[in-house]
């Protein structure tokens, strides 16, 4: 055996040894966080076990050199003690070991490790374990596998037994310890860069009191039975010596290590990268508050589906006509589509269905998600308030509609299986409501981003949570109030907002639909502080209850042909009551405008902008602070650079009507002054006249494309200082990027192209 790497741990927060097991849990359940060539791992089964005694193996009593290097074995000094300088020898357990200060620390460490050993790592339904997934390994089979392995150790495999117990040939615990044995499947990424596609299975032996985790690769024999493979066995070990903690990685037989570069990296990576990552995770004293990624679906199926979709739709990146980043949006929608396809596949298997689920994407944006799901055989359509340029590229088979959705009894979808809200903004809290009222079997999937309430922006109510976490909890609360079992999952997408909420089952039987909808109405009214009326007298009438007693999936194509107002008029009229029937479920909701309003001061009238710029410049130049310095051509010129004023001082000099107009823009006065880059500098809340003589030239040349753009933009605008500054421009005409008079003015390149 050989130690291939070690990392010291700085633990000022006294998080060890518990923090070590939290780090091991990450490597056990989410190895892709460290090894980017993996897709993830699945925990198939676990059991408690004990190792055979040394007497059964026929061992001697002499300690091997490995014990001397790693420190005392279990029962000799501090549990888990190993690499690093050995502490002075002290009394054994059972003596007055707590008399000294150092021994007290050892006893406390042992007690903490026993507590960690007694706590289960996860429930059977934890992230990474998919019940009912193809290839699941029954716990009884793990029992048989461990029994066979244990017998092989007792028959003479003394070296591996010593490796597992972190001891020499003769050292043996005073009492057998309970081990935690986990069977996991490591799932590699598939694709051109990762030729190995077959998952690999490992048996993981966790010795909590000894501070070790041993990974034993498994292989199938000729009869299809699993057995432990002696190559590629490695161990992660926590040790403590003279007040310092270490994490070490050891390989059982370095000469038999076969690296495939994916599941089993090179020993250098195991020795350098893995201990460093584990050491960092050990002392991260924070909980994310979010679930592990892909906890609701099969990671193995997702990995395969994602790679197939990524290869199939990668050309979209090259032809993306929108101004948004193509790689981010294309691969994000590919990942969401892969997730939904697997989620729906497993739902069909669970319910014994054959027809593919129908869907409607509310607020579909660029429509790529709708295009992918439709192309993969799911009948569906997308609705958005604004048409996008890319819609024309999809073809007629992708159904996208330009329309505004106002939650009311005319915007129900009784024959649709799933409602999707992918960054649906103001519609996000309404999607669980629309799904609940559309049909008893209608489900929803939302990926919240911007925080909206039923009407207007969402207002925070708890300071102990992040705004994002609090908003997710609010949407979960909405789903629960609507009668859904709401599940949370974390997607693998290039976004910081990647937590999705899924509602695919109800908390009540179909017979209670009417009373449940009264509770929904009361909840919605209570969010806006409206008085809650007794049942049957709600301020907002209950919408028509459509097909709440139906079972199974509906005919998705029939639903998609029904348009946005999916409830037939006669059926809706039958359930109407009260004067507000047909109106919005909550007055005050307004869908976003069809034309997105630009609010960065760029859409303000040019004469208004010029007036404000001139007024602010005259205010700054009133300071009359002349600045004498050389210009770029070497000539000396005295030039009035003005004074600097705070934004508040500048604003106080403007009239009320100007301030009102600026307040309607994002950023107001500061945005307008920053946009006027030629004239002003805004630094730390203070406004300065820009002196172009102080602009330092770049040390490195910009890229060729940017140089071309700069050359094309040169002299296409008049120099403000040449036209308005009392001293003119601080630069000469040949050094200034702007035109000194109409004679120097050039036609912009875009105008030239239009005139050709």
């Amino acid at each position: 055996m050989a130690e291939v790497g070690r990392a010291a741990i700085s633990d000022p927060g006294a998080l060890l040894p518990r923090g070590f097991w939290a780090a091991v849990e990450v490597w056990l359940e989410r190895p892709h966080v460290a090894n980017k060539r993996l897709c993830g791992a699945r925990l198939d089964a676990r059991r408690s076990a004990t190792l055979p005694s040394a007497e059964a193996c026929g061992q001697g009593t002499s300690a091997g050199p490995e014990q001397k290097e790693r420190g005392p074995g279990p029962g000799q000094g501090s549990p888990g003690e190993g690499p690093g300088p050995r502490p002075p020898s002290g009394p054994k357990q059972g003596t007055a070991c707590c008399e000294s200060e150092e021994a007290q620390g050892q006893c406390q460490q042992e007690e903490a490790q026993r507590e960690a050993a007694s706590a289960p790592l996860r429930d059977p339904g934890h992230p990474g374990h998919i019940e009912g997934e193809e290839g699941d390994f029954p716990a009884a089979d793990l029992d048989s596998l461990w029994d066979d392995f244990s017998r092989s150790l007792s028959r003479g495999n003394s070296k591996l037994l010593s490796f597992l117990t972190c001891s020499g040939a003769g050292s043996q615990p005073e009492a057998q310890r309970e081990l935690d044995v986990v069977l996991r499947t490591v799932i590699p990424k598939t694709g051109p860069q990762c030729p190995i596609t077959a998952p690999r299975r490992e048996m993981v032996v966790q010795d909590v009191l000894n501070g070790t985790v041993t990974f034993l690769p498994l292989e199938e024999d000729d009869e299809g039975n699993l057995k432990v493979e002696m190559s590629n066995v490695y161990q992660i070990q926590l040790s403590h010596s003279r007040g310092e903690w270490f994490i070490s990685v050891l390989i059982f037989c370095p000469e038999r290590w076969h690296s495939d570069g994916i599941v089993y990296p090179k020993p250098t990576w195991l020795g350098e990268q893995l201990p460093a990552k584990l050491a960092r995770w050990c002392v991260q004293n924070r909980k994310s508050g979010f679930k592990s990624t892909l906890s609701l679906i099969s990671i193995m199926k997702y990995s395969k589906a994602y790679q197939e979709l990524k290869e199939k739709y990668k050309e979209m990146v090259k032809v993306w006509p929108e101004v948004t980043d193509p790689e981010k949006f294309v691969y994000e929608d590919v990942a969401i589509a892969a997730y939904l396809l697997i989620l729906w596949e497993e739902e069909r298997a669970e319910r014994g269905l054959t027809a593919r689920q129908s869907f409607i994407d509310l607020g579909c944006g660029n429509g790529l998600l709708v295009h992918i799901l439709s192309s993969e055989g799911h009948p569906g359509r997308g609705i958005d308030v604004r048409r996008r340029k890319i819609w024309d590229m999809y073809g007629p088979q992708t159904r996208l509609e330009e329309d505004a959705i106002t939650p009311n009894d005319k915007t129900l979808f009784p024959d649709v299986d799933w409602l999707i809200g992918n960054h649906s903004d103001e519609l996000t809290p309404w999607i669980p409501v629309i799904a609940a009222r559309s049909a008893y079997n209608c489900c929803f999937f939302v990926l919240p981003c911007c925080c909206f309430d039923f009407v207007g922006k969402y207002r925070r109510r708890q300071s102990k949570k992040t705004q994002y976490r609090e908003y997710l909890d609010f949407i979960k609360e909405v789903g629960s109030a609507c009668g859904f079992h709401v599940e949370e999952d974390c997607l693998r997408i290039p976004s910081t907002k990647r937590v999705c909420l899924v509602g695919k089952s109800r908390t009540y039987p179909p017979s209670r639909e009417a009373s449940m909808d009264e509770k929904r109405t009361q909840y919605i009214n209570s969010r806006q502080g409206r008085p809650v009326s007794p049942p049957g007298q709600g301020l907002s009438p209950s919408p028509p209850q459509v097909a709440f007693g139906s079972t199974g999936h509906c005919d998705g194509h029939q639903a998609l042909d029904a348009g946005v107002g999916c409830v037939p008029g006669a059926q809706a009229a039958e359930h109407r009551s009260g004067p507000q029937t047909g109106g919005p479920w909550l007055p005050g909701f307004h869908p976003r405008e069809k034309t997105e309003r630009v609010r960065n001061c760029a859409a303000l009238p040019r004469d208004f902008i010029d007036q404000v710029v001139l007024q602010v410049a005259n205010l700054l130049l009133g300071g009359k602070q002349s600045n004498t310095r050389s210009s770029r051509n070497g000539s000396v010129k005295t030039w009035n650079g003005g004074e600097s004023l705070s934004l508040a001082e500048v604003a106080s000099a403007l009239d009320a009507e100007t301030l009102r107009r600026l307040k309607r823009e994002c950023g107001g006065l500061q945005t307008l002054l920053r946009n006027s880059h030629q004239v002003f500098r805004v630094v730390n809340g203070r406004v300065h006249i820009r002196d172009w003589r102080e602009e330092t030239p770049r040390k490195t040349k910009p890229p060729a494309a940017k140089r071309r753009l700069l050359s094309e933009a040169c002299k296409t605008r008049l120099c403000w200082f040449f036209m308005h500054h009392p001293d003119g421009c601080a630069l000469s005409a040949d050094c200034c990027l702007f035109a000194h008079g109409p004679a120097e003015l050039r036609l912009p390149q875009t105008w030239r192209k239009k005139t050709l």
Side-chain angles (χ1 to χ4, degrees):
M1 66 189 73
E3 180 182 289
V4 294
R6 178 195 301 182
I9 310 172
S10 175
D11 184 28
L15 300 176
L16 294 172
R18 291 183 179 90
F20 170 73
W21 295 106
V24 167
E25 185 179 356
V26 174
W27 178 242
L28 187 67
E29 299 182 1
R30 293 178 286 160
H32 58 279
V33 177
N35 186 349
K36 300 302 181 183
R37 295 186 177 182
L38 298 179
C39 182
R42 184 188 69 203
L43 304 192
D44 298 308
R46 72 169 64 223
R47 61 158 287 176
S48 297
T50 55
L51 286 171
S53 62
E55 288 77 5
C57 301
Q59 299 303 311
T61 57
S62 61
E66 293 82 4
Q67 179 190 357
K68 296 178 182 179
E69 179 185 350
R70 286 192 295 270
Q76 299 181 12
S78 176
E81 204 164 51
R86 289 188 60 185
S89 58
K92 293 183 179 181
Q93 295 178 0
T95 65
C97 62
C98 293
E99 294 179 0
S100 68
E101 189 174 317
E102 180 180 352
Q104 286 180 1
Q106 292 177 356
C107 292
Q108 291 172 2
Q109 175 188 333
E110 181 178 351
E111 180 62 28
Q113 289 174 320
R114 284 202 180 99
E115 289 179 12
S118 63
L121 293 179
R122 290 277 187 176
D123 294 330
H126 68 84
H129 179 90
I130 311 300
E131 296 198 17
E133 185 178 344
E134 181 181 357
D136 273 357
F137 198 86
D141 293 339
L142 177 58
D143 293 343
S144 175
L145 177 64
W146 175 258
D147 291 341
D148 292 342
F149 174 66
S150 183
R151 280 193 295 269
S152 72
L153 293 177
S154 62
R155 287 172 185 163
N157 201 341
S158 58
K159 291 184 178 179
L160 184 55
L161 178 61
S162 299
F163 186 73
L164 285 169
T165 58
C166 259
S167 61
S171 60
Q172 176 68 21
E174 294 180 1
Q176 287 186 325
R177 295 183 307 279
E178 189 175 86
L179 307 176
D180 191 57
V181 181
V182 179
L183 185 80
R184 75 166 181 169
T185 301
V186 182
I187 306 168
K189 283 184 178 178
T190 57
Q193 304 297 326
C194 302
I196 298 178
T197 58
R200 299 296 301 267
R201 275 182 163 158
E202 294 179 332
M203 185 165 60
V204 184
V205 181
Q206 300 182 96
D207 187 348
V208 179
L209 287 179
N210 204 27
T212 63
V213 186
T214 307
F215 296 81
L216 305 166
L218 302 175
E219 61 179 354
E220 288 189 2
D221 57 20
D222 297 336
E223 299 178 357
N225 299 317
L226 290 177
K227 64 177 183 179
V228 174
E229 183 181 1
M230 288 299 104
S231 61
N232 292 3
V233 175
Y234 69 99
Q235 183 182 91
I236 301 171
Q237 183 185 102
L238 175 70
S239 57
H240 186 261
S241 179
R242 296 189 179 181
E244 190 171 9
W245 291 94
F246 298 92
I247 285 183
S248 305
V249 175
L250 301 93
I251 293 179
F252 176 55
C253 291
E255 65 278 3
R256 300 179 65 179
W257 184 269
H258 302 297
S259 173
D260 58 24
I262 301 175
V263 177
Y264 299 109
K266 294 181 179 179
T268 53
W269 188 92
L270 280 177
E272 296 174 4
Q273 299 293 326
L274 184 57
K277 293 178 184 293
L278 290 169
R280 187 173 68 251
W281 298 340
C282 282
V283 293
Q284 287 182 342
N285 188 18
R286 67 174 188 269
K287 295 183 179 179
S288 67
F290 303 107
K291 285 200 171 185
S292 297
T293 58
L294 311 180
S295 62
L296 300 181
I297 63 172
S298 164
I299 299 176
M300 198 179 306
K301 293 177 181 177
Y302 169 84
S303 177
K304 182 180 179 182
Y306 174 74
Q307 293 300 330
E308 290 175 352
L309 294 179
K310 185 177 179 182
E311 185 69 20
K312 187 174 181 179
Y313 297 99
K314 66 181 180 181
E315 297 300 320
M316 294 296 302
V317 175
K318 300 178 182 178
V319 297
W320 192 256
E322 305 291 338
V323 295
T324 51
D325 181 9
E327 289 198 0
K328 177 188 184 300
F329 283 88
V330 170
Y331 294 134
E332 180 173 323
D333 283 351
V334 164
I336 297 172
Y339 183 90
L340 286 172
L341 290 174
I342 300 304
L343 183 70
W344 293 344
E345 176 187 327
E346 294 180 349
E347 182 192 31
R348 292 196 301 273
E350 179 183 341
R351 298 186 180 182
L353 305 171
T354 55
R356 292 179 182 265
Q357 293 90 331
S358 60
F359 71 92
I360 288 184
D361 188 351
L362 300 178
C364 62
N366 58 53
L368 180 57
L369 179 60
V370 177
H371 174 66
I372 296 174
L373 294 176
S374 300
S375 301
E376 298 304 313
H378 287 269
R381 59 191 171 103
I383 305 173
D384 200 277
V385 71
R386 286 193 299 273
R387 184 180 185 85
R388 307 300 200 273
K389 291 182 287 185
I390 197 174
W391 285 13
D392 297 327
M393 299 177 57
Y394 295 137
Q397 75 280 359
T398 302
R399 303 183 57 184
L400 300 169
E401 301 174 10
E402 185 180 11
D403 202 351
I405 296 290
T406 299
N408 57 47
D409 56 10
K410 294 183 180 179
T411 54
L412 298 177
F413 309 95
D415 298 323
V416 173
D417 299 319
W418 282 79
L419 297 187
I420 299 173
N422 176 18
H423 294 188
S424 46
D425 294 344
E426 69 272 6
L427 284 176
T428 299
W430 285 106
I431 287 177
V433 183
I434 298 173
R437 288 176 167 175
S438 291
Y440 184 80
N441 290 291
C442 186
C443 310
F444 75 85
F445 167 93
V446 291
L447 185 62
C449 181
C450 300
C451 301
F452 283 86
D453 209 318
F454 290 113
V455 174
K457 287 283 190 178
Y458 176 80
R459 295 182 180 179
R460 296 191 62 181
R461 303 187 179 189
Q462 299 184 39
S463 60
K464 294 183 179 180
K465 298 180 181 179
T466 65
Q467 183 180 24
Y468 183 49
R469 179 68 264 176
E470 184 181 344
Y471 187 65
L472 290 171
D473 291 341
F474 163 60
I475 301 300
K476 289 179 70 174
E477 180 184 284
V478 173
S480 299
C482 290
F484 284 99
H485 288 290
V486 183
E487 297 176 281
E488 180 179 312
D489 205 353
C490 195
L491 305 184
R492 291 185 185 173
I493 57 176
S495 174
T496 56
K497 307 292 179 65
R498 57 196 187 102
V499 177
C500 70
L501 300 173
V502 179
K504 61 179 182 179
S505 63
R506 303 294 178 101
T507 60
Y508 61 94
S511 58
R512 291 187 52 224
E513 179 64 35
S515 62
M516 191 67 204
D517 193 68
E518 290 181 355
K519 294 180 180 179
R520 293 186 199 118
T521 302
Q522 292 177 6
Y523 176 79
I524 294 170
N525 291 340
S526 69
R527 286 294 304 177
Q528 300 302 315
R530 303 178 66 200
V532 180
S533 301
Q537 303 178 19
L539 293 177
S540 180
S542 299
Q545 306 307 317
V546 183
F548 60 79
S550 60
T551 58
H553 286 288
C554 314
D555 183 356
H557 294 282
Q558 177 186 357
L560 298 172
D561 291 333
V564 176
C566 295
V567 182
Q571 190 177 13
E574 182 181 345
H575 295 272
R576 285 175 184 164
S577 62
Q580 294 184 352
T581 300
W585 290 334
L586 192 64
F589 176 87
H590 298 288
R592 62 179 54 195
E593 299 173 0
K594 184 175 181 180
T595 303
E596 190 173 9
R597 184 167 167 261
V598 178
R599 297 180 58 199
N600 62 351
C601 296
L604 290 172
R606 187 71 246 175
D607 57 346
F608 174 78
I609 296 175
D610 292 342
Q611 177 188 345
V612 174
V613 169
L614 188 60
Q615 186 176 353
V616 175
N618 289 333
L619 182 66
L620 297 176
L621 291 173
K624 304 255 181 211
Q625 296 181 1
S626 297
N627 187 359
T628 303
R629 66 173 65 219
S630 299
S631 61
R632 292 179 188 173
N633 62 0
S635 62
V636 178
K637 184 174 183 179
T638 300
W639 189 78
N640 181 11
E643 62 179 340
S644 71
L645 295 174
S646 67
L647 284 167
E649 291 171 322
V650 173
S652 65
L654 301 178
D655 61 88
E657 178 58 28
T658 298
L659 291 176
R660 270 195 297 271
R661 293 187 71 173
L662 290 174
K663 249 184 179 178
R664 291 195 288 265
E665 305 295 314
C666 292
L669 175 63
Q670 181 172 221
T671 298
L672 187 144
L673 297 179
R674 287 185 183 275
N675 290 351
S676 304
H677 174 266
Q678 182 191 167
V679 186
F680 302 111
R681 285 188 309 116
V682 183
V683 182
N684 297 328
R686 299 192 68 83
V687 186
H688 309 257
I689 293 288
R690 185 175 296 278
D691 188 347
W692 283 90
R693 296 172 298 178
E694 297 177 352
E695 300 298 312
T696 56
R698 292 175 176 267
K699 294 182 180 180
T700 58
K701 285 187 177 181
K706 193 166 185 178
R707 290 201 304 270
R708 185 177 67 253
L709 290 174
L710 289 173
S711 64
E712 291 174 355
C714 185
K715 303 291 185 181
T716 57
R717 293 174 58 192
L718 287 171
C719 177
W720 186 92
F721 296 104
F722 180 83
M723 302 296 294
H724 300 286
H725 196 282
D727 297 332
C729 182
L731 300 177
S732 60
D734 58 332
C735 295
C736 185
L737 296 173
F738 303 93
H740 283 201
E744 291 188 5
L745 204 58
R746 296 171 55 222
L747 197 63
Q749 188 72 15
T750 54
W751 289 4
R752 286 186 218 163
K753 291 179 180 179
K754 290 179 181 178
T755 56
L756 291 178

